[in-house]
C-alpha cells in the first residue's frame, strides 16, 4: 500500500514531463511554422489585466459572434484536413510540449496578473468549487458512465469501474485556457470572472491526484479505505507543496530584483526564469506545477514591481501577454489538428452519455455548492450567477493531453475516451463558448466596470480597512480584517524591508497609488504633445483656486493700473506668448527624455509639487485673456517647470524675457517655462517692474494665503522669480506711480 | 442614558433588538463586551476604549473612538459629543456595521447605504458644518498616512488636493475661475463613493453569525 502511494506520487511527475514521443512525424514546431498566424493585434496596450485579442479583426462580425478559440480550432481542423489530403500524417499535440512549453506561459500570465484582492476575498468559495466541485463531477460522471457501460453491454462491458472513474476525473476539470479564452471576450463582472477562473486554476491539484490515484489503482484492481485516506493526504501534499515551492521561488525572485538596479536590462529575465523554475521544480517533486506557478507569480509581483524599472515592467507585461497569446493560439490549433489526426473510435452511447452527464453534473454541482456557500457569504450568489458559473465550465486541452498520455495497453478503450473527450471539448468550446455572450446580454448579467479607480475611492478603501479593523478590535472579535491588518503590518515591517530596495520599501500603498496616478498623468501629458492641448487627465475644469475656503477679500495690495497700461501689458505679453508657443512645440517633439522614470524619482515628485504650487499662484495672478483655441498659459502651467531652472535675467533687457529652457534630462516634461503675466481680476495685480534700478520687493507670503501651499519657502522662491521676470521696460512715465505702490 | 440592571433584562434586549435589528444573541454578546470594556460600569468612556491594545497600531483610532461619542450617530438630530455612552449608544453605533439582509428592497438598500455613508461623513466632518472642507480632508489623509513619517505628511497635502479636485470636477463640473467650491457636501460624498458597494463592504462578519462560541474567549 505504501509502495502504491509512492508510485502514485512518482507518476504525478511523469504526467507532465513525459519523454514519450507520441507521434512519429516530423518535429512539431519546425515543420509547422506556417501555421503561425500573421502579425496580429495581440493584446492591446492596456494597463488593465486583460483585453481581448483580435486575431480575426479583419472579419469583425465573425469575431463578435464566434469566440477566437472556436475559430482557431476550425483553422486547425482545416489544416489537419489539408495535411491528410496531401498524404502526410498530421502531428498531434504532444503532451510533453504541451505541459512543458505551451501551458506555463498562460498560467504565469494568469498568476502574475491575478487580482489578489478579489481572489482572497472569494477564496473560500473558489476552493469549494475547485475541490468539492471537481470531486463531485469526477465521481458523478465516472460512476454513471460505468452504470451505462454495464447496461449497454457488448462492447462497453469491458470498461471497468476504475477506468470510468479515471475518465471522469480527467473530464471533470474546468480548463483555465478555455475559460480565459472565452471569458476574456465577454467582460463579465469581476466576481464571476474570478470565481470561474480561480476554480479552473485551483482544480489542478485535484485532477493530478485523482488521475494518478485511478491510474495506479486500475492496474492493481481494487481500492481500500486506506487508499482513499492516502489519496487525501496526497492531495494535501500536492497542493500545499506546490504553493510552498511557488512561494519560495517568488520570494527569491523578489529578493533578486532588489539588487538589479544596475542591470535593469535583465530584470524581466529573472521573473521568467524563476517562475519557470518554480514550475519545473514542482513537477520534479511531483507536486502541482500550476499552483506553484500561480503562487510564484502572485507572491513576487508586489515586491518585484516596486523594485524594477518602468521599462522592465512594460517588458514583462508584454512578453507575458505575447507568450500566452502564442501558446493559446497554438493549443487551439493543435487541438483542431489532433482531432483530424488522432485515432478515433466512435461509440454513440458512450459519447452521448459522457456529454449529458458532464453537463448535468456541472449544473447539479454548482447549484448544490452554491446553496451551501451562500450561508457563509455576504454577497450571495444569485441564480443568474450560478447559471453563468455552470455554463462557464469549459473543458479544454489539458483534459485532451491527459487522455493522450494513457497507454493503450492498460486502457484498451483509450481511443474511445479520446473521441469522447474531443466531443465534449468541442461542445463546450463551440456551443457554450458561442452562446455565452448572447446569454450574458440576455440575462443582463453585470458587466465589468471599466471606470478607472479614483483617488477618492482609494482613500476610502484604505479608510474603511482601518475602520473595520478598529471596530473589530473594539468588538473583541478577531475577524478577517484583524488578521489581514496583522499580515499587512508584518509585511510592511519585515518583508518589505528585505525585498524592496531603498526608499520604496517605506512607501505606503496610498502614496504608491497616488504616484502611479501622477506618473500616468505626466506620461499622458508628454504624449499628448505638451502644450498643444489640454491634458485630459487633469481635471482642467477645476483648479485649485476653486477649492479655497472663503476668505475675506484682501485689501488691495498693489495699485490699480490704468486700463491703458493693462492693455499694453497684455499686448506685450501676448506677443511673447506666441513666440514661446512655437518653441514649446519644437521642444516637445524633439527633445528626447532619457529614462526619467527610474532615477530622480523624488526629484520628479518635488518638481511636480512645485509645478502645482506654481500653477496655483499663476492662476491667482493671471487674468488670462486666454487666446483661443488653446490656452497656453494654463496648459503651460500644467507642465512641470523647474523653478530653479528659470533663467533669471535682471532688469536690463529691452523686452520682457521669457525663457524656455531645454528639458533637464530628469524631467519628463520637456519644457520649462518662465512665464508670468496677465492679471487676475479681483485679486492682487501683477506688478510691473521698470528697468533701471527699481527693485521689486517680494510681496509677503500673506498675499499668497489663498493658496494652500504648505511650504512657505517654496512660496517665496518662485514668488521672487515671478516678480523679477516681469521686467518690462515700458514707457517710463509711470515710474513714479509704480514706486509708491509697492507693498513691503 | 439607557441604564440597565446588572442582570440582562430580556425585555430591554427586545426593545433594543427592534430598534437596531440585531438578534438577541448578538445583543447579549455585545453587552458582554461592553461590560468588559467599561469594567462593569454602566457607561463607557473614551479612556476605556483607548486601553484596547490592538487599537494602538491603528492610524485612525482617534476618529474611530470619537465616532462612538458623536451624538450625530445616535440617530437623533444630535450635535456635539458626549463624554460617556451607555450600552444603547454603543449598540447603535455598532448597528452601522450590519450587513444587508439577503432579500431587501432597493429602497432599503439605498437607505442603508445612506446611513453608512452618513456615518463615514460624520467621521470626516469634524466641525459639523455639513461639508468636508479641504482642511478636514487633509486631516483625514494625514491621519491615514501618519505612520509614514515626513514622506507622508508632504504627500498627504498633494493627495488631499487631488482628491478634492476630483470631487469638485465630478460633482460640479466646469467651474469658472472665480467660483468657489466650499467643500464636499453629503450629496457629493454619495456621488463619489458610488463605485464602492458600501452596504456590503462596511460590515463586520461577527455581527452576522451566531457566535456564542466566540464569546467564551472574551467573556471573562
Amino acid at each position: 500500500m505504501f509502495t502504491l502511494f509512492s508510485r502514485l506520487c512518482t507518476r504525478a511527475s511523469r504526467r507532465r514531463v513525459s519523454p514519450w514521443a507520441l507521434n512519429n512525424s516530423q518535429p512539431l514546431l519546425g515543420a509547422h511554422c506556417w501555421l503561425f498566424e500573421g502579425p496580429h493585434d495581440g493584446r492591446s496596450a492596456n494597463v488593465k489585466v486583460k483585453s481581448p485579442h483580435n486575431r480575426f479583426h479583419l472579419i469583425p462580425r465573425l469575431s463578435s459572434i464566434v469566440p477566437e478559440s472556436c475559430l482557431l480550432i476550425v483553422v486547425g481542423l482545416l489544416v489537419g484536413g489539408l495535411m491528410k489530403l496531401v498524404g502526410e500524417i498530421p502531428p498531434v499535440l504532444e503532451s510533453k510540449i504541451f505541459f512543458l512549453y505551451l501551458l506555463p506561459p498562460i498560467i504565469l500570465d494568469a498568476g502574475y496578473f491575478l487580482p489578489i484582492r478579489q481572489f482572497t476575498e472569494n477564496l473560500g468559495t473558489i476552493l469549494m468549487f475547485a475541490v468539492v466541485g471537481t470531486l463531485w463531477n469526477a465521481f458523478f460522471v465516472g460512476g454513471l458512465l460505468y452504470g451505462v457501460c454495464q447496461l449497454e453491454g457488448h462492447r462497453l462491458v469491458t470498461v471497468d469501474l476504475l477506468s470510468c472513474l479515471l475518465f471522469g476525473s480527467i473530464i471533470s476539470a474546468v480548463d483555465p485556457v478555455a475559460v480565459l479564452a472565452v471569458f476574456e471576450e465577454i467582460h463579465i463582472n469581476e466576481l464571476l470572472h474570478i470565481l470561474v477562473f480561480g476554480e479552473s486554476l485551483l482544480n489542478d491539484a485535484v485532477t493530478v491526484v485523482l488521475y494518478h490515484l485511478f491510474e495506479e489503482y486500475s492496474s492493481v484492481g481494487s481500492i481500500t479505505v486506506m487508499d482513499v485516506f492516502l489519496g487525501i493526504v496526497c492531495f494535501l501534499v500536492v497542493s500545499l507543496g506546490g504553493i510552498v515551492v511557488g512561494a519560495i521561488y517568488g520570494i527569491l525572485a523578489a529578493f533578486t530584483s532588489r539588487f538589479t538596479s544596475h542591470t535593469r536590462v535583465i530584470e524581466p529575465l529573472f521573473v521568467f526564469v524563476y517562475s519557470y523554475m518554480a514550475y519545473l521544480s514542482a513537477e520534479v517533486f511531483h507536486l502541482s506545477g500550476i499552483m506553484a506557478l500561480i503562487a510564484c507569480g502572485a507572491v513576487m509581483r508586489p515586491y518585484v514591481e516596486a523594485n524594477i524599472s518602468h521599462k522592465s515592467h512594460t517588458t514583462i507585461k508584454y512578453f507575458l501577454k505575447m507568450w500566452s497569446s502564442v501558446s493559446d493560439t497554438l493549443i487551439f490549433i493543435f487541438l483542431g489538428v489532433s482531432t483530424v489526426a488522432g485515432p478515433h473510435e466512435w461509440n454513440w452511447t458512450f459519447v452521448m452519455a459522457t456529454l449529458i452527464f458532464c453537463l448535468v453534473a456541472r449544473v447539479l454541482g454548482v447549484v448544490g455548492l452554491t446553496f451551501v456557500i451562500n450561508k457563509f457569504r455576504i454577497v450571495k450568489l444569485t441564480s443568474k450567477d450560478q447559471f453563468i458559473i455552470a455554463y462557464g465550465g469549459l473543458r479544454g486541452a489539458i483534459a485532451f493531453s491527459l487522455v493522450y498520455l494513457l497507454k493503450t495497453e492498460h486502457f484498451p478503450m483509450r481511443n474511445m475516451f479520446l473521441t469522447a473527450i474531443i466531443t465534449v471539448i468541442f461542445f463546450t468550446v463551440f456551443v457554450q463558448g458561442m452562446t455565452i455572450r448572447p446569454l450574458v446580454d440576455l440575462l443582463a448579467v453585470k458587466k465589468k466596470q471599466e471606470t478607472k479607480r479614483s483617488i477618492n475611492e482609494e482613500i476610502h478603501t484604505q479608510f474603511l480597512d482601518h475602520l473595520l479593523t478598529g471596530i473589530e478590535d473594539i468588538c473583541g472579535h478577531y475577524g478577517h480584517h484583524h488578521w489581514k491588518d496583522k499580515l499587512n503590518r508584518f509585511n510592511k515591517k519585515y518583508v518589505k524591508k528585505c525585498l524592496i530596495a531603498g526608499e520604496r520599501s517605506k512607501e505606503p500603498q496610498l502614496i504608491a497609488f497616488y504616484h502611479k496616478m501622477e506618473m500616468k498623468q505626466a506620461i499622458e501629458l508628454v504624449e499628448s504633445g505638451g502644450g498643444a492641448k489640454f491634458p485630459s487627465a487633469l481635471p482642467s475644469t477645476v483648479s485649485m483656486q476653486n477649492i479655497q475656503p472663503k476668505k475675506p477679500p484682501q485689501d488691495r495690495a498693489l495699485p490699480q493700473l490704468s486700463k491703458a497700461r493693462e492693455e499694453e501689458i497684455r499686448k506685450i505679453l501676448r506677443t511673447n506668448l506666441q513666440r514661446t508657443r512655437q518653441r514649446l512645440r519644437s521642444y516637445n517633439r524633439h527633445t528626447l527624455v532619457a529614462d526619467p522614470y527610474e532615477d530622480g524619482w523624488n526629484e520628479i515628485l518635488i518638481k511636480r509639487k512645485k509645478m502645482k504650487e506654481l500653477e496655483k499662484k499663476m492662476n491667482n495672478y493671471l487674468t488670462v485673456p486666454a487666446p483661443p483655441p488653446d490656452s497656453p498659459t494654463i496648459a503651460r502651467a500644467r507642465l512641470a517647470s523647474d523653478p530653479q531652472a528659470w533663467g533669471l535675467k535682471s532688469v536690463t533687457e529691452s523686452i520682457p524675457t521669457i525663457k524656455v529652457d531645454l528639458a533637464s534630462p530628469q524631467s519628463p516634461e520637456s519644457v520649462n517655462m518662465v512665464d508670468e503675466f496677465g492679471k487676475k481680476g479681483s485679486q492682487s495685480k501683477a506688478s510691473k517692474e521698470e528697468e533701471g534700478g527699481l527693485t521689486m520687493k517680494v510681496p509677503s507670503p500673506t498675499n499668497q494665503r489663498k493658496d494652500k501651499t504648505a511650504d512657505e519657502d517654496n512660496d517665496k522662491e518662485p514668488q521672487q522669480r515671478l516678480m523679477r521676470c516681469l521686467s518690462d521696460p515700458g514707457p517710463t512715465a509711470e515710474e513714479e506711480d509704480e514706486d509708491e505702490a509697492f507693498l513691503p | 442614558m439607557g441604564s440597565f440592571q446588572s442582570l440582562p433584562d430580556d425585555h430591554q434586549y427586545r426593545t433594543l433588538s427592534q430598534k437596531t435589528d440585531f438578534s438577541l444573541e448578538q445583543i447579549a454578546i455585545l453587552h458582554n463586551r461592553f461590560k468588559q470594556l467599561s469594567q462593569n460600569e454602566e457607561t463607557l468612556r473614551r479612556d476605556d476604549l483607548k486601553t484596547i491594545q490592538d487599537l494602538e497600531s491603528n492610524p485612525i483610532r482617534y476618529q474611530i473612538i470619537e465616532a462612538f461619542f458623536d451624538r450625530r450617530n445616535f440617530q437623533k438630530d444630535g450635535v456635539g459629543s458626549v463624554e460617556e455612552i451607555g450600552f444603547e449608544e454603543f449598540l447603535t453605533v455598532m448597528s452601522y456595521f450590519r450587513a444587508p439582509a439577503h432579500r431587501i428592497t432597493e429602497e432599503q438598500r439605498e437607505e442603508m447605504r445612506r446611513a453608512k455613508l452618513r456615518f463615514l461623513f460624520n467621521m470626516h466632518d469634524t466641525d459639523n458644518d455639513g461639508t468636508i472642507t479641504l482642511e478636514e480632508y487633509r486631516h483625514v489623509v494625514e491621519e491615514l498616512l501618519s505612520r509614514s513619517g515626513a514622506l507622508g505628511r508632504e504627500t498627504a497635502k498633494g493627495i488631499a488636493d487631488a482628491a478634492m479636485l476630483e470631487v469638485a470636477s465630478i460633482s460640479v463640473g466646469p467651474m469658472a475661475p472665480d467660483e468657489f467650491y466650499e467643500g464636499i457636501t453629503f450629496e457629493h460624498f454619495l456621488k463619489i463613493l458610488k463605485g464602492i458597494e458600501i452596504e456590503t463592504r462596511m460590515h463586520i462578519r461577527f455581527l452576522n453569525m451566531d457566535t456564542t462560541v466566540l464569546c467564551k474567549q472574551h467573556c471573562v
Side-chain angles (χ1 to χ4, degrees):
Chain A
M1 198 176 311
F2 200 71
T3 50
L4 219 55
F5 177 70
S6 54
R7 269 174 65 197
L8 194 108
C9 288
T10 336
R11 288 278 284 236
S13 67
R14 255 187 274 150
R15 155 170 87 118
R16 305 289 170 90
V17 193
S18 163
W20 306 336
L22 292 167
N23 73 320
N24 48 5
S25 70
Q26 53 276 64
L28 261 83
L29 297 177
H32 302 293
C33 48
W34 55 275
L35 281 176
F36 278 91
E37 306 266 283
H40 57 72
D41 249 341
R43 314 206 179 199
S44 67
N46 213 335
V47 185
K48 302 278 189 322
V49 174
K50 291 263 184 218
S51 51
H53 39 286
N54 271 323
R55 296 183 196 87
F56 294 91
H57 56 284
L58 296 172
I59 325 166
R61 281 223 40 191
L62 194 62
S63 65
S64 64
I65 306 175
V66 185
E68 284 235 3
S69 34
C70 304
L71 292 170
L72 290 170
I73 293 185
V74 168
V75 168
L77 284 173
L78 289 175
V79 166
L82 261 174
M83 295 190 68
K84 253 207 169 141
L85 274 178
V86 172
E88 301 232 338
I89 307 170
V92 188
L93 182 61
E94 202 177 296
S95 293
K96 176 172 91 156
I97 293 199
F98 176 74
F99 282 116
L100 280 187
Y101 304 125
L102 291 181
L103 191 62
I106 302 179
I107 304 295
L108 179 60
D109 184 37
Y112 195 77
F113 293 111
L114 195 67
I116 295 283
R117 204 188 176 106
Q118 278 110 331
F119 190 73
T120 45
E121 276 175 15
N122 293 300
L123 192 60
T125 315
I126 293 177
L127 278 176
M128 274 289 265
F129 278 125
V131 177
V132 179
T134 313
L135 280 173
W136 156 259
N137 278 353
F139 284 106
F140 186 83
V141 173
L144 282 187
L145 268 182
Y146 180 63
V148 164
C149 289
Q150 298 300 85
L151 287 175
E152 172 69 8
H154 59 99
R155 289 223 53 209
L156 295 180
V157 152
T158 52
V159 184
D160 62 336
L161 178 64
L162 281 170
S163 304
C164 279
L165 285 175
L166 174 64
F167 179 71
S169 68
I170 294 176
I171 206 166
S172 62
V174 178
D175 189 78
V177 179
V179 163
L180 263 179
V182 169
F183 269 48
E184 219 183 70
E185 298 180 3
I186 62 177
H187 295 302
I188 54 171
N189 63 57
E190 293 179 349
L191 172 69
L192 286 179
H193 187 256
I194 197 73
L195 282 180
V196 182
F197 183 59
E199 178 197 348
S200 68
L201 289 177
L202 294 187
N203 64 19
D204 181 58
V206 181
T207 315
V208 166
V209 172
L210 280 181
Y211 179 80
H212 293 286
L213 191 84
F214 293 130
E215 206 190 355
E216 275 304 319
Y217 293 156
S218 64
S219 46
V220 173
S222 63
I223 295 190
T224 68
V225 178
M226 194 57 183
D227 298 331
V228 174
F229 175 68
L230 280 179
I232 297 178
V233 171
C234 199
F235 164 71
L236 287 173
V237 166
V238 162
S239 51
L240 293 177
I243 294 178
V244 164
V245 167
I248 291 177
Y249 274 100
I251 293 181
L252 274 178
F255 192 66
T256 313
S257 71
R258 188 180 165 186
F259 302 108
T260 54
S261 49
H262 298 294
T263 46
R264 295 272 182 208
V265 191
I266 56 173
E267 274 169 348
L269 188 68
F270 283 123
V271 171
F272 301 137
V273 164
Y274 276 109
S275 315
Y276 196 52
M277 281 192 44
Y279 181 72
L280 290 181
S281 311
E283 292 291 335
V284 158
F285 289 118
H286 328 140
L287 307 167
S288 166
I290 290 186
M291 295 185 88
L293 211 45
I294 302 282
C296 184
V299 164
M300 85 165 116
R301 184 179 179 202
Y303 309 110
V304 161
E305 291 212 333
N307 281 332
I308 60 177
S309 67
H310 186 77
K311 286 186 178 159
S312 298
H313 171 75
T314 314
T315 311
I316 292 178
K317 189 171 78 164
Y318 281 105
F319 259 87
L320 280 178
K321 300 288 180 199
M322 179 191 82
W323 272 330
S324 62
S325 237
V326 169
S327 293
D328 193 82
T329 313
L330 281 178
I331 288 177
F332 282 115
I333 291 184
F334 274 120
L335 212 52
V337 173
S338 311
T339 312
V340 176
H344 287 299
E345 192 184 315
W346 183 267
N347 184 308
W348 274 102
T349 331
F350 190 76
V351 174
M352 285 299 121
T354 311
L355 195 56
I356 296 174
F357 291 146
C358 275
L359 294 174
V360 169
R362 177 81 183 155
V363 171
L364 286 180
V366 169
V367 170
L369 281 175
T370 318
F371 180 72
V372 175
I373 288 172
N374 269 345
K375 294 205 200 311
F376 298 98
R377 279 183 68 92
I378 302 297
V379 181
K380 316 266 184 217
L381 294 174
T382 64
S383 20
K384 261 194 258 177
D385 296 337
Q386 291 173 39
F387 177 74
I388 296 291
I389 295 176
Y391 210 67
L394 306 173
R395 280 33 173 207
I398 292 186
F400 175 82
S401 311
L402 285 177
V403 168
Y404 220 88
L405 276 176
L406 294 174
K407 287 196 255 204
T408 323
E409 311 86 68
H410 291 272
F411 298 96
M413 310 312 289
R414 170 183 169 265
N415 295 340
M416 192 171 68
F417 287 174
L418 205 62
T419 315
I421 284 257
I422 288 188
T423 314
V424 174
I425 294 177
F426 270 48
F427 182 84
T428 55
V429 171
F430 276 90
V431 174
Q432 287 178 237
M434 271 201 273
T435 53
I436 200 169
R437 201 195 307 225
L439 275 173
V440 160
D441 291 333
L442 193 71
L443 292 175
V445 178
K446 248 194 304 184
K447 293 272 184 102
K448 184 158 76 163
Q449 287 169 312
E450 291 292 348
T451 51
K452 228 177 0 178
R453 202 162 157 90
S454 74
I455 188 145
N456 279 297
E457 286 182 5
E458 181 71 25
I459 291 177
H460 280 96
T461 310
Q462 298 251 323
F463 191 81
L464 265 179
D465 277 341
H466 289 298
L467 174 65
L468 292 173
T469 312
I471 297 285
E472 277 191 0
D473 292 333
I474 291 180
C475 272
H477 167 66
Y478 288 157
H480 72 285
H481 282 106
H482 179 89
W483 293 118
K484 205 161 73 151
D485 188 59
K486 268 215 159 88
L487 185 67
N488 277 337
R489 270 187 284 138
F490 172 74
N491 187 15
K492 190 162 141 178
K493 201 160 160 199
Y494 300 112
V495 182
K496 275 193 180 171
K497 287 223 175 77
C498 285
L499 299 180
I500 300 185
E503 272 305 305
R504 301 292 296 277
S505 64
K506 298 198 210 87
E507 201 177 52
Q509 190 195 350
L510 187 57
I511 296 186
F513 176 84
Y514 180 59
H515 287 166
K516 248 190 248 172
M517 213 178 69
E518 283 199 307
M519 191 60 104
K520 252 189 259 176
Q521 286 175 357
I523 295 174
E524 276 175 32
L525 207 55
V526 173
E527 280 179 356
S528 71
K533 62 177 183 165
F534 275 133
S536 55
L538 295 171
S540 52
T541 54
V542 182
S543 56
M544 278 317 293
Q545 73 200 47
N546 295 114
I547 317 289
Q548 319 196 14
K550 273 217 173 79
K551 293 274 193 339
Q554 309 115 351
D555 305 319
R556 192 46 62 80
L558 296 162
Q560 185 107 8
L561 292 176
S562 67
K563 284 289 175 192
R565 195 80 176 115
E566 265 187 53
E567 260 318 299
E568 221 177 307
I569 294 170
R570 283 200 189 137
K571 199 166 52 140
I572 292 170
L573 298 175
R574 218 176 300 160
T575 41
N576 280 300
L577 263 178
Q578 320 271 19
R579 226 184 298 156
T580 48
R581 213 183 311 162
Q582 273 129 10
R583 292 166 75 182
L584 258 184
R585 288 216 188 93
S586 66
Y587 281 140
N588 270 333
R589 292 269 149 73
H590 306 297
T591 309
L592 286 179
V593 181
D595 218 2
Y597 307 126
E598 338 313 345
D599 322 310
W601 168 264
N602 279 326
E603 284 149 48
I604 294 179
L605 282 182
I606 295 173
K607 273 182 214 161
R608 191 131 180 98
K609 188 173 58 137
K610 288 200 176 134
M611 183 278 293
K612 279 217 174 100
E613 289 162 6
L614 217 48
E615 174 199 328
K616 289 177 222 155
K617 282 183 281 290
M618 283 190 237
N619 281 332
N620 283 329
Y621 278 107
L622 312 178
T623 347
V624 190
D630 39 320
S631 280
T633 317
I634 298 184
R636 233 177 290 117
R638 299 268 157 80
L639 296 172
S641 52
D642 187 13
Q644 269 77 32
W646 290 354
L648 294 176
K649 297 281 196 81
S650 51
V651 198
T652 46
E653 303 238 295
S654 54
I655 28 168
T657 50
I658 296 169
K659 294 189 62 84
V660 180
D661 282 350
L662 254 184
S664 64
Q666 302 277 334
S667 73
E669 286 86 6
S670 42
V671 177
N672 293 325
M673 264 303 303
V674 168
D675 136 49
E676 324 344 16
F677 21 66
K679 280 147 289 218
K680 179 133 177 72
S682 54
Q683 325 286 5
S684 46
K685 307 277 191 194
S687 341
K688 294 193 0 48
E689 193 172 8
E690 309 297 29
E691 72 173 352
L694 205 61
T695 29
M696 167 81 120
K697 295 205 203 102
V698 179
S700 67
T702 51
N703 265 359
Q704 276 42 270
R705 63 185 177 279
K706 294 181 308 230
D707 310 316
K708 284 146 303 326
T709 48
D711 216 333
E712 303 269 56
D713 298 332
N714 274 342
D715 283 356
K716 283 208 192 110
E717 271 274 274
Q719 244 11 313
Q720 286 166 347
R721 312 214 171 174
L722 194 76
M723 290 299 113
R724 263 184 257 158
C725 71
L726 290 181
S727 47
D728 182 3
T732 53
E734 271 76 50
E735 226 170 74
E736 287 68 27
D737 287 357
E738 307 295 323
D739 211 355
E740 331 136 16
F742 287 127
L743 248 202
Chain B
M1 288 231 11
S3 53
F4 285 103
Q5 286 87 22
S6 45
L7 291 168
D9 192 8
D10 219 27
H11 170 65
Q12 272 156 333
Y13 274 14
R14 225 164 265 139
T15 40
L16 278 178
S17 170
Q18 277 171 353
K19 219 174 138 199
T20 55
D21 278 338
F22 280 129
S23 75
L24 291 177
E25 301 96 5
Q26 290 168 343
I27 296 183
I29 295 169
L30 286 171
H31 197 194
N32 278 325
R33 179 65 180 168
F34 181 82
K35 282 193 283 205
Q36 194 187 25
L37 285 175
S38 69
Q39 281 121 23
N40 272 323
E41 292 177 30
E42 296 291 334
T43 54
L44 196 65
R45 267 179 292 273
R46 282 189 181 80
D47 297 328
D48 298 322
L49 287 179
K50 281 187 188 151
T51 57
I52 301 178
Q53 272 286 16
D54 300 310
L55 267 183
E56 287 302 307
S57 46
N58 199 317
I60 55 170
R61 60 188 172 285
Y62 293 120
Q63 275 101 321
I64 298 178
I65 295 179
E66 268 312 305
F68 275 91
F69 295 90
D70 190 344
R71 279 223 193 92
R72 288 174 293 177
N73 293 329
F74 298 157
Q75 282 174 342
K76 302 174 187 127
D77 288 321
V79 279
S81 60
V82 291
E83 282 307 311
E84 29 183 59
I85 56 171
F87 180 56
E88 189 175 339
E89 284 83 26
F90 183 76
L91 207 60
T92 313
V93 172
M94 284 299 180
S95 72
Y96 283 103
F97 294 93
R98 274 181 14 253
H102 185 31
R103 282 188 185 81
I104 58 174
T105 64
E106 263 312 302
E107 299 167 349
Q108 285 173 317
R109 189 177 281 274
E110 188 55 38
E111 203 182 297
M112 194 176 227
R113 277 201 91 222
R114 287 187 77 99
K116 296 194 179 193
L117 283 174
R118 186 84 222 179
F119 183 82
L120 280 183
F121 189 81
N122 288 341
M123 281 184 85
H124 296 327
D125 182 19
T126 43
D127 60 1
N128 198 16
D129 60 354
T131 57
I132 304 177
T133 60
L134 185 68
E135 278 309 316
E136 290 168 344
Y137 210 26
R138 258 196 202 156
H139 186 67
V140 170
V141 180
E142 269 171 24
E143 288 296 310
L144 270 182
L145 296 174
S146 58
R147 308 208 155 250
S148 325
L151 178 64
R153 265 199 296 280
E154 287 164 22
T155 334
K157 292 185 172 47
I159 296 177
D161 292 349
M164 282 293 273
L165 273 177
E166 202 179 65
V167 179
S169 47
I170 291 177
S171 323
V172 186
M175 289 175 72
D178 51 358
E179 283 179 47
F180 282 126
Y181 183 68
E182 292 286 343
I184 310 180
T185 62
F186 185 54
E187 293 306 320
H188 296 166
F189 194 67
L190 283 177
K191 220 200 281 191
I192 54 170
L193 290 186
K194 226 178 1 186
I196 307 181
E197 276 197 18
I198 280 283
E199 62 272 17
T200 44
R201 290 200 61 176
M202 186 165 146
H203 76 275
I204 302 284
R205 206 168 265 269
F206 165 63
L207 300 177
N208 235 10
M209 303 190 288
D210 178 20
T211 48
T212 32
V213 174
L214 260 177
C215 179
K216 290 191 179 56
Q217 298 171 262
H218 306 294
C219 306
V220 179

